[in-house]
Amino acid sequence: MRRGPRRQGRRLGASIVVRLNDVEIDDVGNGHFDADGMRVDERGGGDIFFYAKDSEFTNAGADGLELDEGQEGSVFVTVVDSKFDDNGNYCDGKVLESFLPKEPEGEFEDGEKKDSDIPAAVTGTPDDGCFEREVELYESGSVKEYEIGLDFDDGFDVDEAGPGDLWALIVDTSVNGNHDEGLDFGEEDEGSLKLGVWNTEAKNNTDDGLKMVESGAGNVAALLAKLTSKDNGGKGAVSSRKTTAIST
């Protein structure tokens, strides 16, 4: 660990630096919900610096790799010649789909529905953690839309919340056959998301091959070159901006 960079004349807290060369993480995290192949959480004032080369994150029950920065700091990622394949299979849809509400999603006009008028979070299942409930609100506080579904996991998931940026470079890498998104990058609050993807393959993922979400006032900038994204259940590559939401 080392001290983070200076910003606006002051030093932030200690940062986390992870450097992986020729590392294989396979068939782990299949005993309970949200057990990632590898996970890095930063909850102080520092940054996450992550580098991986010639490494594999495969067959994890949850995300193959998750980086989560939740305070005043940024995330800087470089991945080269690596694999994030066949992850996120712990929450078995064949077993759990019967517990979903009769109407698992809906959209409404402003003022039509309150949060108490829509289905509550799912409970009483073999593993309640496998279910996620997302509610988007109007500025008035009424429900704009909601969705309740199984919380499958990604090949590579990066989340940055707070006044920091998310910068990532992905080169010569595969993100195939994951049970949710292949690459899932989210930036929330102040800060921007900048992504470069080169000569990378994203195939046969259950949802999007590449997903970028900005949930604050920041910008999203992406350079995609020689990205092959096909046969995914969602979009090949998608960028979106979220407004006020509740997740349970």
Side-chain angles (χ1 to χ4, degrees):
M1 300 176 67
R2 65 183 179 84
R3 292 290 178 183
R6 290 184 181 274
R7 290 204 187 93
Q8 298 180 348
R10 62 188 179 86
R11 183 175 291 277
L12 300 178
S15 294
I16 299 174
V17 180
V18 179
R19 185 178 181 91
L20 306 179
N21 286 282
D22 195 21
V23 172
E24 180 179 353
I25 298 175
D26 179 66
D27 193 21
V28 298
N30 291 296
H32 60 86
F33 172 71
D34 202 27
D36 304 313
M38 179 177 182
R39 180 170 182 142
V40 178
D41 288 330
E42 201 289 316
R43 291 294 182 269
D47 304 303
I48 296 176
F49 297 89
F50 181 87
Y51 175 88
K53 186 176 188 299
D54 295 324
S55 295
E56 298 184 6
F57 307 83
T58 56
N59 299 298
D63 297 319
L65 169 64
E66 179 171 352
L67 308 178
D68 194 336
E69 198 289 319
Q71 296 294 331
E72 190 172 348
S74 296
V75 182
F76 303 96
V77 175
T78 302
V79 172
V80 181
D81 289 325
S82 295
K83 291 183 179 181
F84 301 87
D85 295 346
D86 302 311
N87 297 291
N89 294 308
Y90 170 73
C91 294
D92 189 342
K94 294 180 181 179
V95 174
L96 299 173
E97 283 180 352
S98 62
F99 292 93
L100 289 170
K102 186 176 180 179
E103 297 182 0
E105 59 184 59
E107 297 183 20
F108 310 101
E109 298 295 327
D110 193 0
E112 184 179 353
K113 296 285 186 180
K114 304 187 298 294
D115 185 67
S116 58
D117 296 327
I118 62 176
V122 176
T123 59
T125 73
D127 193 330
D128 295 346
C130 284
F131 294 83
E132 61 181 350
R133 178 180 183 266
E134 293 190 353
V135 182
E136 186 173 351
L137 305 177
Y138 289 101
E139 290 186 2
S140 65
S142 66
V143 176
K144 182 177 182 180
E145 60 181 308
Y146 78 91
E147 181 177 0
I148 299 173
L150 290 172
D151 188 8
F152 298 119
D153 284 292
D154 311 312
F156 185 14
D157 183 11
V158 184
D159 297 304
E160 194 288 320
D165 299 311
L166 195 171
W167 293 1
L169 177 65
I170 311 296
V171 179
D172 295 331
T173 290
S174 70
V175 282
N176 297 326
N178 298 288
H179 214 65
D180 204 353
E181 283 84 24
L183 297 171
D184 186 356
F185 298 128
E187 199 287 323
E188 185 177 349
D189 300 319
E190 299 176 31
S192 296
L193 193 165
K194 297 182 179 181
L195 174 65
V197 179
W198 172 267
N199 198 33
T200 289
E201 182 179 88
K203 297 180 180 179
N204 299 307
N205 297 288
T206 301
D207 206 332
D208 306 317
L210 165 60
K211 179 180 178 182
M212 299 165 283
V213 178
E214 169 58 51
S215 301
N219 299 314
V220 176
L223 174 62
L224 312 179
K226 295 186 178 180
L227 168 65
T228 301
S229 187
K230 64 180 184 179
D231 300 325
N232 298 293
K235 305 289 187 181
V238 60
S239 174
S240 65
R241 182 178 298 277
K242 282 189 175 181
T243 55
T244 304
I246 300 173
S247 295
T248 56

